[in-house]
Amino acid sequence: MEYIDQTGSTNADLIESAPHRLDRSVLVTDHQTAGRGRLDRRWDAPPGANLLVSVLFHEVPAEAGELVRRLSLAAVDAVRLTVPGAGTVGLKWPNDILLEDGKLAGVLAQRSAEGAVVVGIGVNVGWCPQDGAKLGDGIDRPSVLAALLTAYDALPRSPDDLIIRYRDELSTLGQRVRVQMPSGDVVGDAADVTQSGQLRVRDDDGKTHQIAAADVIHLRPA
Ligand code: BTN
């Protein structure tokens, strides 16, 4: 594990230096000046406020999305362990960790030219954007990171067992959702995730859509 005071993006750093680093190298920083989020968005936080960390994987499972699910589940476990009174923690498909209904953390996976995968997570510890959620000011970020890495190692090894755990934590399931895709929105009930992590949504005509990548909004009943 390496710590740096400040960088552009821990994901970008690990992608660039992947050939020279060991499997499961971890890079953590206090401040990113060009933090990356999903769908080409930025991921910003004031210096020293949040947990910003990336993990490099040279050993990539057949379905690389499994690494995102692993880090997300580890984050859920770490929050429950380190901040037991924080509130209800769960997952929102595809890559968010929720605290109550607010976004507590986001996960971003990127592939290097050589085929390695870097999975980064930003956890709102001392700061969150409007409508987001955070753990709180007195929370020790290194303790959250240590719990995250320990929880990662304690996850079920088998992909079949992992997806069962993932379904259990996925608060999207059973919700009325709007799925936003370039081809148009789908509104319906989130019914299941497939073995490879695709979301199944049943629309009001009874048609099932299997979605690999999109933004999802949890809709409240009117
Ligand atoms: C999202 O859009 O929800 C994903 C955000 C991922 C942010 C983390 S912070 C550490 C790592 N480095 C980055 O540049 N991004 C990820």
Side-chain angles (χ1 to χ4, degrees):
M1 179 155 71
E2 184 186 345
Y3 163 82
I4 32 173
D5 289 344
Q6 172 177 312
T7 185
S9 154
T10 53
N11 263 35
D13 289 351
L14 284 187
I15 293 274
E16 194 188 305
S17 58
H20 316 293
R21 291 187 187 257
L22 295 173
D23 186 44
R24 293 161 60 109
S25 292
V26 175
L27 184 63
V28 57
T29 189
D30 269 345
H31 182 42
Q32 294 185 132
T33 54
R36 298 182 186 181
R38 285 182 62 238
L39 307 172
D40 275 338
R41 295 176 188 136
R42 291 182 56 91
W43 186 264
D44 292 320
N50 289 348
L51 179 60
L52 309 164
V53 60
S54 300
V55 187
L56 168 69
F57 296 94
H58 286 297
E59 275 181 36
V60 178
E63 212 289 291
E66 184 186 316
L67 295 173
V68 170
R69 293 189 283 282
R70 286 186 178 277
L71 208 70
S72 302
L73 287 168
V76 167
D77 290 341
V79 169
R80 285 186 188 141
L81 192 76
T82 52
V83 197
T88 305
V89 190
L91 298 177
K92 175 170 169 271
W93 192 90
N95 285 28
D96 292 351
I97 290 97
L98 301 181
L99 177 59
E100 302 297 342
D101 286 332
K103 178 164 173 170
L104 175 70
V107 180
L108 174 69
Q110 294 178 281
R111 206 177 261 277
S112 77
E114 304 82 21
V117 169
V118 172
V119 188
I121 183 165
V123 183
N124 300 332
V125 178
W127 178 88
C128 64
Q130 212 180 3
D131 299 330
K134 63 177 184 173
L135 291 178
D137 289 334
I139 306 302
D140 181 54
R141 284 174 289 135
S143 302
V144 179
L145 175 57
L148 176 83
L149 299 176
T150 303
Y152 189 95
D153 283 338
L155 289 169
R157 299 277 148 175
S158 111
D160 289 357
D161 292 342
L162 190 87
I163 206 85
I164 291 169
R165 174 82 212 284
Y166 180 70
R167 279 194 190 105
D168 281 349
E169 300 290 359
L170 192 61
S171 65
T172 303
L173 292 185
Q175 297 240 17
R176 185 99 181 134
V177 293
R178 177 183 296 280
V179 184
Q180 298 176 310
M181 292 176 290
S183 54
D185 290 4
V186 171
V187 175
D189 299 318
D192 198 8
V193 276
T194 66
Q195 209 55 24
S196 59
Q198 300 195 350
L199 185 68
R200 284 171 169 267
V201 175
R202 200 172 305 114
D203 70 20
D204 295 338
D205 295 328
K207 184 178 170 198
T208 298
H209 303 254
Q210 196 158 303
I211 295 143
D215 263 350
V216 164
I217 298 171
H218 291 177
L219 301 172
R220 300 252 170 330

